[in-house]
């Protein structure tokens, strides 16, 4: 090739690139008019890593692409989905038998059978499957197909809330078994039995769903449903205001700016989403029962609800919210600084230098960590430290990533969050059981109380609701006497949504708010208003 | 010329070897835990046994040298491995995204080179004049401005205040197909910001090169022969004044890549940038290594290109020098 031909080539290429550049400057039509009536676009903050139920997607129910054996109604009561009815439970609570619904097909036309159920559960429990939530299925000893329409689960121990775990989505064996479960194409191109099909997933940008024309529960009226992933709260609010979105999850202060807008409705979802401070048993100050009890009454929870949450939430006294049927009435603690000081005085924590108490030469001081970048946790941590200061306990607030915080959890306090509404066992067993102290992120406070341990076991094993309630009452009362955590608030989740559909409802929501939570938990049941 | 290309290609092998090794070493030394990153929020309720199982499956406990060698040997055979953060084969991640990044970079770079040349020549015509002083001032200011800051400023002005252009994404939120019109509309802001962040270097180089050439004998001779100012400027001064710019084209490639990373993040452009950030914070070795190799190759190719262009434009410069 001579220099001349290359020069010509270069010129031609430059001209070509130029043409593209020029085209980029032309202004195309701007399609920002109101979308069609049978389409909805919502903004969410979190993107799923995967859409494969085998890796944990939709494990708490409400995945739009899949169905579980069971599902929840608006009141979080279990109802059958791919099962024809609620399971039959044996008298000893060890065997769960599910009869499957007839005539259900996956979106590729293949029939749904008992083999798919067995495949799904066995694959999740397989050691080679990278599913980070498989501990939740710990109780299962075996899962077997009795006949084409019947699946039997046998448990290692009686586990009362087991049926709640069977909301997890069922994957098609004929597709998912033929590829690598951890990285195969099924993780991004799912096929299920649910009301929607995944139409496209542009990672980091949006997921688009279209109505499943053969859905066994009836074809949804909202034909196209788009979930835009917008991590920044302000950007989400701006795009909602510009008409780009029909709805979005927003923090309380931004949701308030839409109050006067007639076309938009604000929906408040009650939650089990708590913020709490772990008080590690090994810390010489935070592990002292008097200090824990003093902090529990020194903290002004209502001020946090009003100041930090703009009223969108309520005071928390344990993992169970005060308006839950599982809450033990009478365990509410009033903000009482004088009582806190009295408890500390009686326990020998005497006022010392700079307003910080001391006992036997030991200063009443410890460190509290929160996840850096999380404004809500930061506000809670600072408010908590300021309340503690008034009682004479010095809390040093520090921020860090989980990598920084985790090795320090045994000694330092952490501003933690959690919450799962389906069953009281889900939160409390891992949060309070002494056997799980320091096991991953379970029981971060290293809480150790034999009475609580006993009640936790009773609560999960007994199939009798009254007995279970009594067990969880015991735990909540123990948490008053020996609070290993200071529970601060339960946080409402706020959604602002165009008033174009009915019925718009919310469920009681968990700590995680991914795709499944929000007024679109039942988008398949929405009807256009006009 | 072929010898130059061949020698550079040979030289690239040890460079890539060292760069990938460095990536694995640095990632292994980072405080991020690949298992935690993989588990995400589920990891906050997972038992230790569950996490240990994940660690074993992901091979996260192997020394980084072992992981590097495994990666390298399979990469040579064409298998780039699987991305743990995106749960996809690495080749698929790159294939899905690289086109959008290339489009953004190509448009921005072309705009920057052309705009820079035009503005630079205009400034060089009357050095010390009002236009020259104004453009030089603006260029020095822009050189100091980080691209993401320019991006945020552009979003604020054009998307929020004027509502003239979309604030981000590849297409409108409700739209699913990436039509040429939609993509073009969404490309304007990020490409313009990236181009503007690169522009000052070209303006200043062209201004200097053309200005110096104006004082050289051939140009003075051409003027003396009574050729028109236009012929003198474009026929004589620009030709020799552009030589340093050709070198600049290659050496700006690394800056262009880092600039694109920031711009893509600001504008939610679905290119390889978000994948790179994700890969880095999740200690996703296979993806991170593949992307680093890509960036290194781009830089080496940029340098080669500028040397080739230089040789072609100025016959006095040999290819074997």
């Amino acid at each position: 090739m001579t220099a001349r031909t290359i020069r010509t080539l270069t010129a031609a290429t430059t001209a070509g690139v130029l043409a593209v550049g020029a085209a980029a400057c032309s202004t195309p039509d701007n399609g920002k008019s109101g979308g069609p009536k049978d389409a909805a676009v919502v903004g969410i903050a979190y993107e799923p890593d995967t859409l494969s139920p085998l890796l944990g997607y939709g494990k708490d129910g409400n995945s739009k692409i899949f169905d579980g054996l069971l599902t929840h109604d608006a009141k979080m009561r279990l109802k059958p989905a791919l099962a024809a009815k609620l399971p039959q439970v044996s008298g000893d609570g060890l065997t769960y038998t599910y009869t499957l619904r007839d005539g259900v097909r996956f979106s590729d036309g293949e029939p749904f059978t008992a083999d798919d159920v067995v495949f799904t559960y066995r694959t999740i429990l397989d050691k080679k499957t990278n599913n980070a939530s498989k501990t939740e299925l710990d109780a299962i000893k075996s899962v077997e197909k009795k006949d084409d329409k019947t699946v039997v689960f046998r448990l290692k121990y009686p586990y009362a809330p087991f049926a709640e775990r069977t909301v997890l989505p069922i994957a098609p064996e004929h597709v998912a078994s033929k590829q690598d479960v951890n990285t195969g194409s099924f993780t991004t191109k799912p096929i299920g039995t649910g009301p929607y099909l995944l139409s496209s997933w542009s990672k980091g940008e949006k997921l688009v769903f279209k109505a499943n024309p053969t859905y066994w529960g009836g074809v949804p009226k909202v034909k196209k449903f788009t979930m835009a992933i917008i991590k920044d709260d302000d950007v989400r609010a701006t795009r909602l205001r510009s008409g780009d979105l029909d709805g979005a999850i927003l923090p309380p202060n931004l949701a308030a700016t839409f109050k006067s807008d007639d076309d938009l409705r604000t929906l408040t979802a009650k939650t089990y989403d708590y913020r709490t401070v772990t008080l590690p048993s090994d810390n010489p100050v935070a592990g002292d029962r008097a200090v824990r009890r003093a902090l529990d009454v020194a903290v002004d929870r209502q001020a946090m609800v009003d100041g930090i949450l703009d009223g969108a939430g309520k005071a928390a006294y344990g993992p169970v919210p005060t308006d839950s049927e599982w809450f033990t009435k009478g365990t509410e603690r009033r903000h009482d600084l004088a009582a806190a000081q009295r408890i500390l005085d009686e326990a020998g924590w005497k006022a010392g230098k700079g307003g910080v108490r001391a006992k036997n030469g030991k200063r009443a001081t410890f460190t509290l960590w929160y996840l850096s970048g999380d404004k809500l946790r930061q506000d809670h941590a600072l408010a908590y430290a300021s309340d503690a200061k008034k009682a004479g306990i010095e809390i040093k607030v520090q921020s860090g990533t989980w990598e920084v915080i985790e090795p320090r959890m045994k000694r330092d306090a952490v501003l933690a969050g959690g919450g799962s509404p389906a069953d009281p066992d889900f939160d409390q067993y891992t949060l309070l059981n002494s056997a799980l102290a320091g096991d991953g992120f379970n029981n971060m406070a290293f809480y150790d109380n034999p009475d609580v341990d006993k009640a936790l076991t009773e609560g999960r094993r007994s199939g009798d609701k009254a007995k279970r309630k009594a067990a969880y009452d015991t735990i909540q009362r123990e948490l008053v006497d020996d609070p290993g955590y200071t529970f601060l608030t339960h946080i409402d989740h706020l959604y602002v949504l165009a008033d174009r559909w009915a019925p718009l409802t919310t469920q009681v929501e968990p700590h995680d708010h991914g795709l499944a939570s929000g007024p679109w938990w039942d988008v398949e049941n929405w009807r256009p208003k006009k | 010329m072929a010898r130059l290309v061949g020698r550079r290609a040979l030289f690239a092998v040890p460079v890539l070897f060292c760069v990938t090794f460095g990536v694995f070493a640095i990632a292994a030394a980072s405080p991020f835990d690949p298992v935690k990153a993989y588990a995400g929020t589920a990891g906050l309720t997972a038992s230790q046994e569950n996490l240990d199982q994940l660690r074993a499956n992901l091979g996260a406990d192997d020394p980084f040298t072992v992981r590097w060698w495994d990666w390298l040997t399979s990469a040579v055979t064409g298998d780039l491995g699987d991305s743990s953060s995106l749960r996809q084969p690495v080749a698929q991640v790159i294939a899905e995204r690289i086109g959008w990044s290339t489009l953004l970079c190509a448009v921005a770079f072309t705009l920057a080179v052309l705009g820079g040349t035009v503005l630079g020549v205009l400034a060089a015509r009357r050095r010390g004049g009002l236009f020259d002083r104004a453009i030089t001032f603006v260029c020095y200011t822009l050189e100091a401005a980080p691209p993401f800051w320019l991006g945020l400023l552009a979003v604020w002005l054009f998307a929020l205040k004027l509502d003239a252009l979309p604030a981000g994404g590849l297409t409108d939120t409700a739209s699913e197909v990436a039509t040429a019109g939609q993509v073009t509309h969404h490309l304007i802001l990020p490409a313009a910001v990236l181009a503007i962040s690169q522009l000052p270097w070209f303006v200043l180089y062209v201004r200097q090169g053309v200005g110096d050439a104006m004082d050289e004998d051939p140009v003075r001779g051409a003027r003396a022969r009574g050729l028109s100012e236009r012929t003198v400027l474009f026929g004589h001064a620009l030709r020799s004044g552009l030589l340093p710019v050709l070198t600049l084209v290659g050496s700006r490639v690394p800056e262009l890549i880092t600039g694109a990373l920031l711009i893509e993040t600001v504008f939610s452009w679905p290119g390889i940038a978000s994948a790179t950030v994700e890969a880095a914070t999740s200690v996703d070795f296979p993806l991170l290594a593949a992307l680093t190799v890509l960036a290194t190759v781009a830089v080496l190719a940029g340098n080669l290109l500028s040397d080739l262009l230089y040789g072609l434009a100025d016959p006095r410069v040999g290819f074997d020098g």
Side-chain angles (χ1 to χ4, degrees):
Chain A
M1 211 190 271
T2 64
R4 180 170 294 278
T5 50
I6 292 188
R7 247 171 255 156
T8 321
L9 264 178
T10 316
T13 319
T14 315
V17 176
L18 245 179
V20 174
C25 296
S26 68
T27 317
D29 53 332
N30 184 348
K32 205 185 275 176
S33 55
K37 274 192 185 145
D38 58 357
V41 185
V42 300
I44 56 173
Y46 297 96
E47 180 171 36
D49 295 317
T50 170
L51 293 178
S52 169
L54 303 171
L55 299 181
Y57 166 66
K59 67 185 177 66
D60 298 317
N62 282 347
S63 74
K64 293 295 135 212
I65 312 163
F66 297 94
D67 294 302
L69 289 170
L70 305 179
T71 188
H72 292 120
D73 66 9
K75 295 224 157 75
M76 288 299 286
R77 285 176 306 220
L78 285 172
K79 64 175 191 183
L82 288 180
K85 51 184 193 286
L86 293 178
Q88 277 180 303
V89 187
S90 64
D92 59 4
L94 285 171
T95 310
Y96 281 68
T97 307
Y98 288 81
T99 309
L100 305 186
R101 187 180 292 273
D102 274 323
V104 177
R105 286 180 180 274
F106 285 100
S107 58
D108 62 356
E110 293 291 319
F112 154 77
T113 69
D115 290 323
D116 298 308
V117 179
V118 173
F119 165 76
T120 299
Y121 281 88
R122 283 191 184 160
T123 307
I124 293 175
L125 289 169
D126 185 356
K127 281 193 188 323
K128 292 197 188 68
T129 303
N130 294 341
N131 182 321
S133 316
K134 70 175 76 179
T135 322
E136 296 184 353
L137 300 179
D138 228 18
I140 298 180
K141 187 166 91 187
S142 72
V143 46
E144 272 144 32
K145 164 178 150 174
K146 202 165 136 204
D147 56 54
D148 276 352
K149 290 282 154 227
T150 315
V151 176
V152 181
F153 291 87
R154 284 178 220 287
L155 305 187
K156 294 174 193 158
Y157 45 85
Y159 187 48
F162 178 70
E164 290 283 353
R165 294 298 193 201
T166 58
V167 299
L168 77 80
I170 301 300
E173 184 183 21
H174 67 275
V175 177
S177 67
K178 295 200 177 78
Q179 44 178 274
D180 184 337
V181 61
N182 295 319
T183 57
S185 62
F186 182 69
T187 62
T188 49
K189 294 189 179 62
I191 289 165
T193 57
Y196 285 88
L197 311 174
L198 180 71
S199 178
S200 70
W201 181 9
S202 165
K203 284 212 175 171
E205 196 195 357
K206 67 190 163 202
L207 296 118
V208 185
F209 302 93
K210 61 172 191 269
N212 179 356
T214 59
Y215 183 51
W216 57 268
V219 184
K221 292 279 189 291
V222 175
K223 297 290 182 210
K224 190 168 139 189
F225 188 63
T226 305
M227 290 177 145
I229 296 131
I230 307 163
K231 294 200 172 102
D232 190 88
D233 294 333
D234 290 301
V235 176
R236 230 179 298 122
T238 306
R239 286 174 69 172
L240 179 62
R241 192 166 282 123
S242 75
D244 193 19
L245 303 175
D246 297 314
I249 178 165
L250 290 175
N253 56 342
L254 282 172
T257 62
F258 289 91
K259 277 227 172 74
S260 57
D261 200 324
D262 290 340
D263 300 332
L264 296 168
R265 273 183 64 189
T266 301
L267 283 101
T268 304
K270 295 288 162 198
T271 74
Y272 266 54
D273 187 4
Y274 60 75
R275 292 294 176 274
T276 187
V277 176
T278 68
L279 299 171
S281 298
D282 283 344
N283 186 295
V285 179
D288 185 303
R289 184 185 284 218
V291 172
R292 295 172 171 202
R293 288 183 54 214
L295 286 169
D296 206 29
V297 290
V299 62
D300 189 350
R301 297 176 171 90
Q302 196 53 46
M304 291 185 184
V305 172
D306 297 337
I308 300 171
L309 304 178
D310 277 345
K314 46 189 177 297
Y317 305 100
V320 184
T322 45
D323 53 3
S324 162
E325 57 172 330
W326 294 99
F327 183 73
T328 308
K329 294 254 173 342
T331 58
E332 298 93 337
R333 274 82 92 191
R334 268 187 335 113
H335 168 55
D336 189 347
L337 188 58
Q341 282 161 337
R342 202 165 53 242
I343 294 169
L344 290 170
D345 284 338
E346 282 167 10
W349 291 94
K350 296 280 180 268
K353 261 183 275 166
V356 181
R357 291 169 184 265
K359 180 180 179 180
N360 305 333
K362 189 170 58 189
R363 272 163 60 86
T365 175
F366 61 93
T367 305
L368 168 64
W369 291 88
Y370 68 88
L371 186 62
S372 50
D374 189 327
K375 178 83 171 33
L376 209 52
R377 291 186 194 215
Q378 180 184 9
D379 289 348
H380 275 91
L382 292 173
Y384 184 68
S386 140
D387 286 346
K389 185 94 209 317
K390 288 174 199 153
I393 297 167
E394 181 190 51
I395 297 178
K396 296 186 214 103
V397 177
Q398 294 216 40
S399 74
T401 61
W402 285 120
E403 279 81 6
V404 176
I405 298 171
E406 199 204 353
R408 295 172 168 82
M409 282 181 343
K410 199 170 179 351
R411 298 276 298 176
D412 293 348
V414 180
L415 204 296
S420 180
D423 193 277
D425 174 76
F426 292 177
D427 273 329
Q428 300 186 31
Y429 195 79
T430 51
L431 191 70
L432 300 170
N433 189 344
S434 64
L436 293 176
D439 175 82
F441 283 88
N442 291 330
N443 193 355
M444 284 163 70
F446 293 74
Y447 189 68
D448 187 356
N449 181 327
D451 291 337
V452 169
D453 284 347
K454 194 160 150 279
L456 284 169
T457 308
E458 279 166 21
R460 65 166 26 188
R461 297 205 171 203
S462 171
D464 178 33
K465 190 152 181 190
K467 275 191 193 149
R468 299 193 71 201
K469 176 81 171 88
Y472 291 111
D473 284 347
T474 307
I475 294 171
Q476 289 172 67
R477 291 205 186 90
E478 285 297 321
L479 282 178
V480 179
D481 288 340
D482 181 19
Y485 298 76
T486 312
F487 285 87
L488 304 175
T489 56
H490 277 103
I491 292 162
D492 291 346
H493 297 161
L494 296 184
Y495 301 88
V496 179
L497 209 66
D499 198 10
R500 293 203 276 139
W501 300 278
L504 289 182
T505 55
T506 56
Q507 287 176 310
V508 177
E509 296 189 351
H511 171 57
D512 295 323
H513 27 284
L515 309 189
S517 303
W520 39 87
W521 73 275
D522 70 338
V523 59
E524 64 270 22
N525 295 329
W526 285 5
R527 304 277 178 271
K529 265 189 156 176
K530 279 173 268 180
Chain B
M1 193 168 79
R3 275 179 59 194
L4 176 72
V5 176
R7 209 169 51 228
R8 290 291 183 84
L10 220 58
F11 173 67
V13 174
V15 170
L16 288 175
F17 202 74
C18 295
V19 165
T20 54
F21 186 82
V23 167
F24 275 71
I26 291 169
S30 81
F32 297 111
D33 180 356
V35 177
K36 294 266 160 44
Y38 184 91
T41 42
L44 297 179
T45 51
S47 67
Q48 195 58 47
E49 187 194 351
N50 197 172
L51 291 174
D52 290 345
Q53 190 70 57
L54 269 179
R55 189 173 293 279
N57 288 359
L58 296 172
D61 273 344
D62 296 343
F64 78 87
T65 43
V66 173
R67 310 190 61 178
W68 170 70
W69 187 249
D70 287 348
W71 177 83
L72 195 71
T73 43
S74 54
V76 168
T77 65
D79 175 13
L80 292 175
D82 296 314
S83 156
S84 63
S85 61
L86 296 167
R87 272 78 158 167
Q88 273 178 309
V90 168
Q92 194 187 339
V93 174
I94 293 175
E96 277 175 8
R97 292 163 178 263
I98 195 154
W100 300 123
S101 289
T102 312
L103 176 70
L104 175 67
C105 289
V107 170
F109 204 54
T110 312
L111 290 177
V113 172
L114 293 177
T117 308
V118 171
L119 292 176
V121 170
L122 291 178
R125 259 175 62 190
R126 303 246 185 289
R127 273 213 277 185
L130 186 64
F131 180 76
D132 182 30
R133 276 184 292 157
I135 198 82
T136 314
F137 173 75
V138 170
C139 284
Y140 281 127
T141 315
L142 280 179
E143 262 183 352
F148 76 88
W149 180 78
L150 289 176
L152 291 174
L153 202 66
V155 169
W156 174 78
L157 182 64
F158 292 100
L160 295 190
K161 288 288 152 200
L162 303 177
D163 199 19
L165 289 164
L170 187 61
T171 56
D172 286 345
T173 318
S175 163
E176 196 183 340
V177 261
T179 60
Q182 287 249 328
V183 173
T184 313
H185 192 214
H186 282 73
L187 180 65
I188 296 172
L189 262 196
V193 171
L194 187 54
I196 286 173
S197 74
Q198 299 294 315
L199 191 70
W201 308 90
F202 292 101
V203 174
L204 296 174
Y205 264 66
V206 171
R207 172 184 170 274
Q208 188 69 37
V210 173
D212 290 350
M214 301 271 266
D215 295 337
E216 281 174 14
D217 290 341
V219 177
R220 299 219 318 248
R223 272 208 176 124
R225 292 203 302 279
L227 294 177
S228 75
E229 187 67 12
R230 176 181 294 258
T231 319
V232 171
L233 195 62
F234 289 99
H236 296 78
L238 185 60
R239 177 113 185 230
S240 69
L242 274 188
L243 285 180
V245 177
L246 294 180
T247 325
L248 187 67
V249 168
S251 63
R252 290 311 295 168
V253 170
E255 282 279 343
L256 185 71
I257 292 175
T258 45
L261 291 192
L262 298 170
I263 294 294
E264 284 188 12
T265 312
V266 171
F267 288 96
S268 337
W269 189 257
I272 50 177
S274 57
T276 310
V277 175
E278 179 102 24
T281 54
S282 322
V283 204
D284 185 349
F285 286 99
L287 184 57
L288 197 57
L291 293 175
T292 314
V293 167
L294 265 183
T296 314
V297 168
V299 170
L300 293 176
N303 283 333
L304 177 63
L305 179 74
S306 66
D307 287 355
L308 287 177
L309 288 176
Y310 204 92
L312 290 172
D314 187 348
R316 286 172 300 177
V317 180
F319 284 118
D320 301 319

